[in-house]
Amino acid sequence: MKEYNIAKEDEIGVGERIVTEIEGREIAVFNVDGEYVAYLNWCFHQAGPCCEGKVTGTTEATWDSENLTQTLTYTREDEILNCPWHGWEYDIQTGECISRSGVSLPSYPVRIEEGNIILSL
Amino acid sequence: MSQEVASPDVVGDELTIDSDVHLQIRHEDLVPYLDEPWRSRMKDSHTGQQPNDGWDRTVNGKFLMDFDSVQTAEDLKHSLCNDLGVDYPIINTLGLMSRNPENDWSVALMKAHNDFLIDNFLDVYDNFLGLATITTQQPDKAAEEIDRMASEEDIVGIYIHNTGPNPPLGDSFYDSMWEAAEDNDLNVAFHGSADGFMFEFPRQNQSLNQFIEVHTLAHPWSQMLTMISLIVEGTVEKFPDLRWAFLEAGLSWVPYMLFRLNKEYSMRRSEAPLLEKMPEEYFREKMYVASQPLEEPMAQTDLAKLIDVVGTDNILFATDYPHWDFDNPETLNQHLQRMFDPEDLTKVMTQNAIEMFDLTI
């Protein structure tokens, strides 16, 4: 396993990302509320650049079977990564796909060392 | 799709012909191609080419609906040919005017779309081929445009937006249009849309709650309506030299439609008296269906079965670039490489389009 110095900590603010190339792979590092996560920029669906898409919330619904009412909520603001090609939604903290169980973005360990963001590959 | 992205592995050695590539013409770019009074209308009114259907394609802004990648021939070459590995794009303008209520405006738009396509795309690169958009409200005007387009060497077929034409396209109302297409050796590609859904299926457009419902139904319903009309009304017999392609509804609707029609035909043959063969035979001999948007069964083996049933003699490769449900060429290519013989791959990626559009490449 090799380690790569991606950037200084203050170069990726909260909510920001950088996409970089390491050993021929496009990898994105996100700052999610001060925690860093890294994913391969490759959507499980059709190999789209999923890490370049918008980070948004999403719509969820609950069903009250006693009162026969559905309640919509816009939730998880800034937690959903959307592939710009076809809109596949991923949980930005875990890399898990929202619509298909068992599908996740390949991820890489990231740690901070002396103010530097270090990615292990 | 204009953002710089990682290039996927381009399709290997296979010559790739893409049967469904769209432009997204800006209104201001169409102005010089319109005569008055249409020029002033396009320039000064706020309605654009057609009324908006009100549905949100972006899923509340999640999709980036950016069409910069198809605004110039150079952009399209870069994004589709260089990055995605398409050798020959067969370009249509996404002309939707066949669903418009105003006949003369629709005819003016049709001509403008075709002139724009030729000037700005087909004349620029040798590997760019195009389909002439034909609007259907006045079949004689459509026939005139087919005659006009026939002398253009890079126009390899005609493109009909088939969500909205009334009556359905097998009606004898259109015979002069089909006659012109046949006389000029220009085969016909149909392309549905959610955009025409409010005209073709108004009650459903009003009553469905979400765009996902409209979009999922609009394309196959339009193709089913057109296919059944062409076959049952005998258009396929009246104009025997024409070939027909169905774009952007995927594959699965075809076996369902044909097998059901086969059954009905044997029970009610006298209602389709021009036919001399089973409905399915007309498909096998005269029709093609574009791969995109390739369906996504849970099991890959089911996709292989589906391709097998539709038949690799009748499938055209297509991306639908640059739309939000486009297919990356690698998706179908890899699947065919894994699960089919090399000759099947060649038919789908190359040979069927050469036959459908009578290409010399």
Side-chain angles (χ1 to χ4, degrees):
Chain A
M1 182 175 286
K2 284 188 181 174
E3 295 195 322
Y4 295 87
N5 189 343
I6 301 298
K8 295 204 176 302
E9 207 176 353
D10 58 8
E11 288 177 327
I12 310 177
V14 172
E16 294 179 354
R17 76 193 88 175
I18 62 167
V19 182
T20 186
E21 187 169 321
I22 303 173
E23 294 183 15
R25 303 179 215 186
E26 284 216 1
I27 293 173
V29 179
F30 295 84
N31 179 337
V32 183
D33 285 335
E35 301 290 323
Y36 295 88
V37 291
Y39 300 112
L40 190 64
N41 187 20
W42 186 89
C43 183
F44 182 85
H45 177 221
Q46 290 196 4
C50 56
C51 292
E52 297 175 32
K54 279 190 174 182
V55 178
T56 67
T58 196
T59 303
E60 290 179 351
T62 54
W63 171 243
D64 179 342
S65 58
E66 287 193 8
N67 295 309
L68 303 183
T69 53
Q70 173 182 273
T71 305
L72 293 178
T73 47
Y74 188 72
T75 182
R76 305 178 71 183
E77 184 83 60
D78 300 328
E79 294 179 14
I80 307 297
L81 176 63
N82 303 278
C83 181
W85 273 14
H86 302 101
W88 276 42
E89 296 175 302
Y90 294 93
D91 181 322
I92 200 167
Q93 285 169 325
T94 65
E96 291 172 0
C97 178
I98 309 293
S99 61
R100 302 208 184 190
S101 60
V103 173
S104 289
L105 297 174
S107 64
Y108 305 93
V110 182
R111 62 189 166 80
I112 303 300
E113 193 173 292
E114 296 175 353
N116 294 313
I117 302 168
I118 307 295
L119 181 142
S120 303
L121 185 66
Chain B
M1 246 69 62
S2 66
Q3 67 272 25
E4 287 296 321
V5 297
S7 302
D9 295 335
V10 294
V11 181
D13 297 332
E14 212 63 45
L15 194 64
T16 302
I17 304 174
D18 185 345
S19 295
D20 189 19
V21 176
H22 297 296
L23 303 184
Q24 193 78 23
I25 307 175
R26 295 189 186 106
H27 293 162
E28 61 265 31
D29 292 340
L30 217 47
V31 169
Y33 293 93
L34 289 162
D35 294 328
E36 293 292 5
W38 312 120
R39 177 179 295 211
S40 292
R41 169 177 172 155
M42 182 60 93
K43 205 165 55 171
D44 300 329
S45 80
H46 298 285
T47 51
Q49 300 183 48
Q50 59 246 335
N52 190 294
D53 66 12
W55 292 108
D56 172 30
R57 270 71 173 166
T58 73
V59 196
N60 299 314
K62 283 170 175 253
F63 284 120
L64 305 172
M65 300 295 276
D66 182 351
F67 296 115
D68 287 351
S69 60
V70 292
Q71 290 310 321
T72 68
E74 292 76 13
D75 292 335
L76 183 61
K77 186 171 195 300
H78 174 75
S79 56
L80 183 66
C81 301
N82 298 355
D83 283 358
L84 292 179
V86 168
D87 297 297
Y88 288 89
I90 299 181
I91 306 166
N92 61 70
T93 68
L94 194 67
L96 301 174
M97 62 288 284
S98 69
R99 58 58 145 196
N100 282 1
E102 297 168 275
N103 294 352
D104 291 345
W105 173 233
S106 302
V107 169
L109 285 172
M110 164 178 75
K111 293 176 180 172
H113 270 240
N114 290 332
D115 290 336
F116 177 91
L117 171 67
I118 292 164
D119 279 1
N120 295 282
F121 288 84
L122 305 189
D123 285 351
V124 179
Y125 293 115
D126 289 342
N127 63 320
F128 280 15
L129 305 171
L131 301 180
T133 289
I134 296 300
T135 200
T136 54
Q137 293 91 335
Q138 299 176 94
D140 289 348
K141 297 279 175 61
E144 283 174 23
E145 183 68 356
I146 292 168
D147 288 341
R148 187 174 79 97
M149 285 294 105
S151 59
E152 298 288 342
E153 64 175 325
D154 294 328
I155 292 290
V156 297
I158 68 176
Y159 167 96
I160 290 185
H161 172 236
N162 63 331
T163 309
N166 187 18
L169 289 157
D171 194 283
S172 58
F173 175 68
Y174 301 105
D175 282 352
S176 59
M177 184 172 84
W178 301 137
E179 182 184 43
E182 189 175 58
D183 287 349
N184 288 296
D185 297 324
L186 289 172
N187 289 325
V188 184
F190 296 107
H191 190 293
S193 79
D195 188 276
F197 198 74
M198 63 178 165
F199 293 97
E200 190 74 278
F201 306 104
R203 191 163 66 81
Q204 287 79 6
N205 189 67
Q206 231 175 349
S207 54
L208 292 169
N209 287 319
Q210 301 288 348
F211 184 63
I212 183 176
E213 299 167 273
V214 168
H215 188 261
T216 304
L217 291 171
H219 286 272
W221 278 10
S222 299
Q223 301 296 27
M224 286 180 180
L225 182 60
T226 298
M227 179 185 275
I228 203 168
S229 183
L230 293 175
I231 293 177
V232 173
E233 298 293 325
T235 314
V236 286
E237 279 291 344
K238 290 194 279 187
F239 306 98
D241 293 340
L242 283 180
R243 297 293 176 268
W244 316 86
F246 299 85
L247 312 181
E248 199 164 344
L251 306 176
S252 301
W253 64 277
V254 174
Y256 169 74
M257 195 68 240
L258 290 173
F259 300 165
R260 181 168 168 81
L261 191 54
N262 282 346
K263 184 182 180 77
E264 295 268 342
Y265 175 65
S266 289
M267 295 190 287
R268 310 181 69 89
R269 192 216 54 80
S270 63
E271 292 180 355
L274 280 174
L275 298 193
E276 295 179 358
K277 303 173 208 173
M278 291 285 282
E280 186 180 346
E281 289 181 85
Y282 289 103
F283 174 76
R284 302 280 171 215
E285 293 171 13
K286 295 171 181 288
M287 295 178 175
Y288 296 90
V289 57
S291 57
Q292 179 277 341
L294 197 59
E295 288 89 2
E296 297 179 2
M298 302 289 280
Q300 285 284 296
T301 48
D302 286 344
L303 186 56
K305 290 175 198 162
L306 177 63
I307 291 171
D308 228 12
V309 172
V310 174
T312 52
D313 287 334
N314 296 83
I315 298 173
L316 302 173
F317 166 72
T319 62
D320 183 44
Y321 190 83
H323 287 166
W324 58 268
D325 56 342
F326 86 106
D327 277 346
N328 179 355
E330 272 298 291
T331 304
L332 177 62
N333 186 49
Q334 285 179 354
H335 182 82
L336 289 170
Q337 281 183 359
R338 272 201 309 273
M339 307 189 81
F340 286 83
D341 295 332
E343 52 266 34
D344 291 313
L345 177 69
T346 304
K347 284 180 196 171
V348 172
M349 303 305 284
T350 316
Q351 197 57 40
N352 294 341
I354 289 175
E355 289 172 14
M356 166 68 201
F357 297 109
D358 195 19
L359 307 180
T360 49
I361 54 178

